[in-house]
Amino acid sequence: CSPTCTHFYCRLTCTRPSPPSPSPAPQFDCNAGYAKWQSGWSPQKKAWCCEHVGKGCTPSGDPYDCDAGYANWQAGWSAQ
């Protein structure tokens, strides 16, 4: 607010802030089909839901535990 004064009186002038703009609608409904997200969601939905709501994230890193069965690796590990 800022005052505007004349010789006889002062008037306080205030401006209201603009209301916040609404958030954009979510690109995907991350609750829909969540029970079967691994096979039912598109790669785009998985990526969006993982980034925005933390659902549908695939584990990162090596899918194999190289310490498990190391003592018997020749007989126990597959060629893959």
Side-chain angles (χ1 to χ4, degrees):
C1 295
S2 59
T4 303
C5 298
T6 65
H7 295 288
F8 301 106
Y9 67 95
C10 287
R11 184 168 107 182
L12 196 56
T13 306
C14 298
T15 56
R16 293 184 183 185
S18 301
S21 59
S23 299
Q27 189 172 356
F28 294 100
D29 179 357
C30 300
N31 292 318
Y34 183 66
K36 296 182 181 183
W37 70 268
Q38 289 177 314
S39 61
W41 286 5
S42 68
Q44 294 83 4
K45 182 173 180 175
K46 289 176 187 177
W48 192 92
C49 290
C50 181
E51 182 179 335
H52 291 91
V53 296
K55 290 184 175 183
C57 302
T58 55
S60 60
D62 195 345
Y64 301 103
D65 180 358
C66 295
D67 292 328
Y70 181 73
N72 190 31
W73 72 270
Q74 289 176 318
W77 287 5
S78 68
Q80 296 177 356

